[in-house]
């Protein structure tokens, strides 16, 4: 799933309410499965930030704690922030199991519950890209960043069968609701747009491209697992089921995965993403 999916699910929750007023509930479903799939990217984000012992690290949209726990194992002093209380509880449990001292707090990217200038590295693994207001989210990241600190986050590029599925799914739900297209989200994958966004805070941006592979026993198995575990897919299919269009949508999405499958004996889809690093000039 990609950042555009959050707008779709917002719309499905209430056709009468603007998307920004109805954020998705990431505590639904079993995000733990998704977190496992995204773990290699979390490692890439931490590596790109060059996190070291004793550094103060903030993980925005930490979910079950992927990047936060990796940074803590490196000896950093880590705080994770996420709006989903259930996921924070999972993260706290994983930290206890590993004997790691990590502070996990409830909060939103546009209103971080931490002081100014308090972190050497601000990280986010496929999370800040879901912020309803990109300008507010970036302003908050800059506010909490200490002088000479760095911001590093990951953002999806449209690529592969999974990427195509994420592009099509929102339109299926919108058409089912006969709803107008939502406002176009900020292009977190566009280098020029990112440079302009951070230049307003006197920061420069560099990007690097990476691959992330999704696998399953079959296209059918992948879609079935997504349908019943990914928070946005759970919410979206509830709407489609209510409208009697779930199975039709399921077939269309399955065809996308089948056509784009990279492994004839199972399922494999290579997605591409950016790591974005922003530092002061």
């Amino acid at each position: 799933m990609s950042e555009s999916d959050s707008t779709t699910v917002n719309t499905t929750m209430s056709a009468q309410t603007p998307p920004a007023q109805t954020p998705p509930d990431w505590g639904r479903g079993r995000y733990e499965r998704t977190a496992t799939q995204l773990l290699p990217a979390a490692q890439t984000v931490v590596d790109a930030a060059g996190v070291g012992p004793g550094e103060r690290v903030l993980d925005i949209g930490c979910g079950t704690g992927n990047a936060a726990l990796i940074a803590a194992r490196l000896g950093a002093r880590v705080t994770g922030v996420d709006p989903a209380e259930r996921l924070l509880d999972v993260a706290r449990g994983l930290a206890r199991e590993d004997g790691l001292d990590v502070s996990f707090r409830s909060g939103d990217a546009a209103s971080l519950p931490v002081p100014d200038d308090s972190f050497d590295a601000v990280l986010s693994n496929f999370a800040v890209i879901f912020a309803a207001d990109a300008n507010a989210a970036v302003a908050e990241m800059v506010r909490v960043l200490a002088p000479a600190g760095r911001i590093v986050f990951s953002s999806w590029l449209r690529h592969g069968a999974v990427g195509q599925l994420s592009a099509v799914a929102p339109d299926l739900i919108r058409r089912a609701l006969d709803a107008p297209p939502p406002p176009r989200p900020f292009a977190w994958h566009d280098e020029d747009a990112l440079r302009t966004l951070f230049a307003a805070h006197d920061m420069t941006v560099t990007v690097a491209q990476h691959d992330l592979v999704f696998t399953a026993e079959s296209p059918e198995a992948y879609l079935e697992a997504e349908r019943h575990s990914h928070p946005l897919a759970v919410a979206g299919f509830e709407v489609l089921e209510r409208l009697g269009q779930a199975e039709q949508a399921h077939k269309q999405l399955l065809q996308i995965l089948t056509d784009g499958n990279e492994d004839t004996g199972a399922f494999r889809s290579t997605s591409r993403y950016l790591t974005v690093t922003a530092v002061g000039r």
Side-chain angles (χ1 to χ4, degrees):
M1 299 294 175
S2 71
E3 63 261 35
S4 66
D5 295 334
S6 68
T7 301
T8 300
V9 173
N10 291 344
T11 303
T12 66
M13 295 303 180
S14 172
Q16 306 300 317
T17 307
Q21 296 180 21
T22 54
D25 180 1
W26 289 94
R28 301 190 66 188
R30 294 292 297 172
Y31 185 78
E32 292 90 329
R33 172 182 172 274
T34 301
T36 299
Q37 294 175 313
L38 301 182
L39 187 57
Q43 182 70 61
T44 300
V45 167
V46 175
D47 290 345
V51 172
E55 288 199 298
R56 300 162 298 169
V57 175
L58 176 66
D59 181 10
I60 300 174
C62 63
T64 58
N66 276 356
L69 297 177
I70 293 170
R73 293 186 192 106
L74 294 172
R77 293 175 286 162
V78 184
T79 299
V81 174
D82 198 279
E85 284 292 347
R86 189 185 74 78
L87 300 187
L88 290 174
D89 286 341
V90 173
R92 292 182 185 110
L94 293 173
R96 284 194 297 271
E97 288 176 10
D98 285 357
L100 299 172
D101 184 14
V102 182
S103 173
F104 290 105
R105 305 181 188 178
S106 178
D108 182 80
S111 182
L112 296 169
V114 293
D116 296 355
D117 307 325
S118 52
F119 293 95
D120 303 300
V122 174
L123 313 179
S124 185
N125 190 40
F126 302 122
V128 73
I129 60 174
F130 287 91
D133 186 335
N135 289 296
V138 169
E140 276 293 272
M141 288 193 287
V142 172
R143 176 184 68 80
V144 305
L145 189 67
R150 63 276 190 202
I151 296 168
V152 183
F153 61 90
S154 51
S155 178
W156 291 115
L157 295 168
R158 293 293 191 192
H159 182 79
V162 170
Q164 187 180 356
L165 180 145
S166 293
V168 170
D171 289 331
L172 291 177
I173 300 171
R174 279 197 290 270
R175 288 201 298 269
L177 287 166
D178 194 24
R184 189 173 183 83
F186 177 76
W188 291 97
H189 60 282
D190 185 287
E191 295 181 37
D192 290 337
L194 287 166
R195 290 191 177 99
T196 299
L197 183 64
F198 280 92
H201 299 278
D202 203 28
M203 301 189 79
T204 59
V205 167
T206 57
V207 303
Q209 189 172 137
H210 310 271
D211 289 347
L212 183 64
V213 176
F214 295 90
T215 61
E217 294 180 359
S218 66
E220 293 88 346
Y222 180 84
L223 182 56
E224 191 67 16
E226 285 288 289
R227 179 171 176 171
H228 296 289
S229 64
H230 194 289
L232 302 183
V234 169
F237 267 102
E238 281 185 2
V239 172
L240 292 170
E241 287 169 357
R242 190 174 70 241
L243 298 173
Q245 299 187 33
E247 294 315 306
Q248 178 183 348
H250 186 98
K251 290 178 182 178
Q252 185 170 343
L253 296 176
L254 179 58
Q255 191 62 54
I256 290 171
L257 296 178
T258 301
D259 291 344
N261 187 10
E262 301 165 12
D263 185 344
T264 56
F267 175 71
R268 177 187 175 94
S269 176
T270 303
S271 291
R272 289 178 181 160
Y273 67 96
L274 298 178
T275 50
V276 181
T277 301
V279 297
R281 291 176 177 171

